[in-house]
Amino acid sequence: MNVISPSGPQQTRPRRQAKPVETWPAAYDPALADGVVVYGTLKQGLSNHRVVEPFVQSIEPATFQGRLYNGHGYPAVTLETHAGPAGTVHGEFITVKDPDTAFRHLDRLEGFNPHHQGLYQRSVIDVILAGGDHKKAWVYHMPETRAASRGRWLEAGVWPKRLQNVANLNDM
């Protein structure tokens, strides 16, 4: 747009538009699942639970198929089972309030970004609650080759509490 001024015509800069709020691609919309299943330091009483705690509506024990690894002090789950049979991973199913904000915090902690490959991926899986009900849950997981190369398979599928202080990944 040209503006006439005493010194002659001048070009004005277009107005900056407000930056749009980032949204997930449809495949990563938090509403696609009933909640999130956590299996390591995000569980109650462990070092990173404080990240999810403000968003907790309810927590129930849950299990799912996969392999849990100790990646040198931090947990990693794999969903594919090329290295052998899948095990049962024991975690907590969390129904979250304000899922958009909750998943922004969780994605940041887990290094997940749907626009590029990060440390963890986020997918919807089936979980079984302690009472036998089935739910759809988001889970943060690693490709098997990455998890296996970084740590040891925890065949029992339970993240040991003794590692809770080692695995504080949240330096926010």
Side-chain angles (χ1 to χ4, degrees):
M1 160 163 73
N2 289 326
V3 176
I4 304 290
S5 73
S7 59
Q10 297 178 349
Q11 190 74 16
T12 59
R13 293 184 187 169
R15 285 189 152 186
R16 288 183 112 183
Q17 296 198 0
K19 187 176 179 183
V21 174
E22 186 177 334
T23 58
W24 288 277
Y28 295 103
D29 185 336
L32 293 176
D34 302 309
V36 62
V37 64
V38 298
Y39 49 82
T41 62
L42 284 164
K43 288 170 45 177
Q44 292 180 90
L46 299 184
S47 59
N48 283 322
H49 183 71
R50 61 184 155 64
V51 175
V52 73
E53 191 170 31
F55 307 102
V56 170
Q57 185 172 321
S58 65
I59 300 177
E60 300 177 64
T63 59
F64 61 95
Q65 294 298 297
R67 294 181 81 138
L68 177 62
Y69 287 84
N70 174 1
H72 303 290
Y74 64 89
V77 155
T78 63
L79 302 178
E80 66 272 8
T81 57
H82 304 293
T88 299
V89 178
H90 299 268
E92 295 173 345
F93 175 78
I94 301 176
T95 304
V96 295
K97 52 190 173 191
D98 190 6
D100 287 336
T101 304
F103 278 98
R104 289 192 198 294
H105 286 275
L106 291 169
D107 287 351
R108 181 174 171 203
L109 173 71
E110 302 294 4
F112 171 75
N113 182 324
H115 304 291
H116 64 80
Q117 180 70 37
L119 185 60
Y120 288 92
Q121 298 168 356
R122 178 161 52 95
S123 299
V124 175
I125 62 168
D126 292 312
V127 300
I128 303 171
L129 304 182
D133 289 342
H134 291 250
K135 295 276 188 175
K136 294 284 187 195
W138 286 105
V139 66
Y140 291 91
H141 61 95
M142 248 184 217
E144 186 174 41
T145 54
R146 182 181 297 162
S149 70
R150 292 174 179 240
R152 181 176 56 87
W153 178 34
L154 301 175
E155 195 169 350
V158 178
W159 182 251
K161 285 189 176 191
R162 65 182 162 71
L163 294 175
Q164 71 179 337
N165 294 325
V166 176
N168 188 357
L169 302 176
N170 182 22
D171 295 326
M172 291 186 207

